[in-house]
Amino acid sequence: FSAKLALLATLFFIIMPGAIYYGKSFELTVFTVPASLITWSLFVFYHLSQNEKRKKIFFWLFILSIFVGCQMAWFYYFMPMGIWIFLLTPAGKQVAKRKILLLILPLISIFSFGLTMLQFYLLNGPNFWNDLISAFGFRSKTEGLPFSYWISRIWWIAKLNITWVLTITGFLGILIWLFKIKRNYKLLFFIPIILQPFFVLLIFRQWATHPFGVIPFLGAIALGSAILFYYLSEKNKAFAIFIIMIVLSSSIYLSIQKLKFFYN
C-alpha cells in the first residue's frame, strides 16, 4: 500500500515544473518544501520502526529536523503544527510517546522561533520587531484585492508550477482521501502534508499570489494524484495504468513548456 503510493507520488512530484525549477532559484523558501517532507518522513519512520534502536534514532532525527526546519521560512511551521493535529486523531493515538510529542513539538518550534528572533535582534537591534511585523503583515494582507482576482491568480500560478492536469488530479485525490479516512484511519497520516499548503493560503494570502506561492502544494498535489490513481487501480488496474501513462506523458510535455517560461 505505502510502496505504491510512494512510487506514484514521487513520479508526479518530480515532473512538476515548480519542483524542477524552484531548486535552481535563490528563493529563501526553496528549503522548506524538502525540509517539511523530511520532517514528515522521519516522523513516519519513527512510528513504523519495529527496531527499538532505530526507533530512538528516528525520534531524535525527527526532533532535530523540526529545530532546523523552523529556521527555514514562515510556512515550515505548519508541518509540525500538522503533525501535532494528527497526534490528536484516532490514528495519532497509536504513536509511541504521543503525550511527550504533544508537549515537545510546540516547545521546539517556539525555541527555534526564539533563536531566529535573537538573530534578528543581534543584526538589527530592537527595531527588528517592527520590520518583522511589517513583513508578516505584507505577506498576509489582501485588502483591496478582489476575491475573484485572487482565485484566478492562484489558478494561473498553479498551472505554471504544477500544470493544470496534476492540479485537477491532485484535488480529486484529496477529495477521495477525505471520503476514505472515515474507513481507514491510517490515511490520517497524510494530514500534515495536506494541511500545510491550506494553512499557507489561509494565513499568507498575499504571498500565495507570488509566482512561487503554490510551492507548498507540490507535496499535497503529488500525494493526491497518487491516491486517486491508487484507488483507480483497485477498481481496474489496466485502465488505471493506461490513464497514469497519459497523465504522466501529458504532464511532462506541459512541464517542459512551463520550464521554457521560467528560464526565459
Side-chain angles (χ1 to χ4, degrees), residues 15-69:
I15 63 174
M16 294 182 191
I20 299 168
Y21 174 81
Y22 199 57
K24 292 183 175 294
S25 76
F26 290 106
E27 259 283 325
L28 174 65
T29 47
V30 68
F31 302 103
T32 45
V33 172
S36 298
L37 295 175
I38 287 170
T39 294
W40 180 78
S41 298
L42 289 171
F43 174 69
V44 174
F45 296 157
Y46 159 71
H47 175 62
L48 297 180
S49 178
Q50 300 298 317
N51 183 293
E52 286 302 317
K53 185 177 181 180
R54 288 184 178 181
K55 198 175 189 72
K56 186 177 294 185
I57 292 173
F58 283 132
F59 176 83
W60 289 110
L61 286 175
F62 167 62
I63 297 300
L64 178 62
S65 73
I66 294 178
F67 173 76
V68 175

Side-chain angles (χ1 to χ4, degrees), residues 89-125:
T89 67
K93 292 179 180 179
Q94 308 301 317
V95 176
K97 299 181 180 178
R98 171 178 169 270
K99 292 183 179 179
I100 294 176
L101 288 171
L102 283 171
L103 175 65
I104 201 171
L105 292 187
L107 291 179
I108 296 170
S109 300
I110 292 170
F111 177 77
S112 187
F113 178 77
L115 184 61
T116 302
M117 297 301 100
L118 177 60
Q119 295 172 31
F120 290 165
Y121 178 81
L122 293 174
L123 289 169
N124 201 31

Side-chain angles (χ1 to χ4, degrees), residues 2-261:
S2 57
K4 284 184 180 179
L5 276 178
L7 175 61
L8 286 172
T10 301
L11 287 175
F12 292 126
F13 184 89
I14 62 177
I15 63 174
M16 294 182 191
I20 299 168
Y21 174 81
Y22 199 57
K24 292 183 175 294
S25 76
F26 290 106
E27 259 283 325
L28 174 65
T29 47
V30 68
F31 302 103
T32 45
V33 172
S36 298
L37 295 175
I38 287 170
T39 294
W40 180 78
S41 298
L42 289 171
F43 174 69
V44 174
F45 296 157
Y46 159 71
H47 175 62
L48 297 180
S49 178
Q50 300 298 317
N51 183 293
E52 286 302 317
K53 185 177 181 180
R54 288 184 178 181
K55 198 175 189 72
K56 186 177 294 185
I57 292 173
F58 283 132
F59 176 83
W60 289 110
L61 286 175
F62 167 62
I63 297 300
L64 178 62
S65 73
I66 294 178
F67 173 76
V68 175
C70 286
Q71 297 289 308
M72 297 296 176
W74 302 95
F75 59 75
Y76 172 85
Y77 285 87
F78 297 129
M79 176 52 68
M81 182 187 298
I83 293 174
W84 191 87
I85 291 172
F86 163 75
L87 290 171
L88 299 176
T89 67
K93 292 179 180 179
Q94 308 301 317
V95 176
K97 299 181 180 178
R98 171 178 169 270
K99 292 183 179 179
I100 294 176
L101 288 171
L102 283 171
L103 175 65
I104 201 171
L105 292 187
L107 291 179
I108 296 170
S109 300
I110 292 170
F111 177 77
S112 187
F113 178 77
L115 184 61
T116 302
M117 297 301 100
L118 177 60
Q119 295 172 31
F120 290 165
Y121 178 81
L122 293 174
L123 289 169
N124 201 31
N127 292 327
F128 87 89
W129 186 250
N130 292 330
D131 293 338
L132 183 71
I133 295 299
S134 175
F136 179 87
F138 177 76
R139 286 162 176 78
S140 60
K141 70 178 181 180
T142 51
E143 288 82 358
L145 188 66
F147 185 71
S148 58
Y149 170 79
W150 186 83
I151 289 293
S152 63
R153 173 77 175 173
I154 295 295
W155 173 245
W156 180 81
I157 296 169
K159 290 192 294 181
L160 191 63
N161 288 277
I162 302 171
T163 76
W164 66 268
V165 175
L166 289 180
T167 301
I168 292 173
T169 58
F171 275 98
L172 287 175
I174 291 173
L175 290 177
I176 290 174
W177 172 77
L178 288 172
F179 285 111
K180 292 290 185 179
I181 54 178
K182 294 180 180 179
R183 300 177 183 176
N184 188 352
Y185 285 143
K186 290 182 179 179
L187 290 174
L188 288 168
F189 261 105
F190 300 141
I191 279 179
I193 291 179
I194 293 174
L195 278 186
Q196 184 184 33
F198 286 102
F199 277 134
V200 173
L201 286 186
L202 179 66
I203 304 300
F204 299 109
R205 297 181 298 279
Q206 192 279 339
W207 183 84
T209 63
H210 187 278
F212 298 135
V214 297
I215 289 298
F217 268 98
L218 296 188
I221 293 297
L223 177 61
S225 298
I227 290 173
L228 171 66
F229 290 112
Y230 174 83
Y231 283 108
L232 276 180
S233 68
E234 283 192 326
K235 303 295 182 182
N236 190 318
K237 189 174 182 179
F239 176 73
I241 292 174
F242 175 70
I243 297 298
I244 288 171
M245 296 306 297
I246 292 177
V247 170
L248 283 174
S249 57
S250 61
S251 295
I252 289 171
Y253 171 78
L254 291 171
S255 291
I256 292 171
Q257 302 304 309
K258 300 305 179 184
L259 286 175
K260 290 179 180 179
F261 174 88

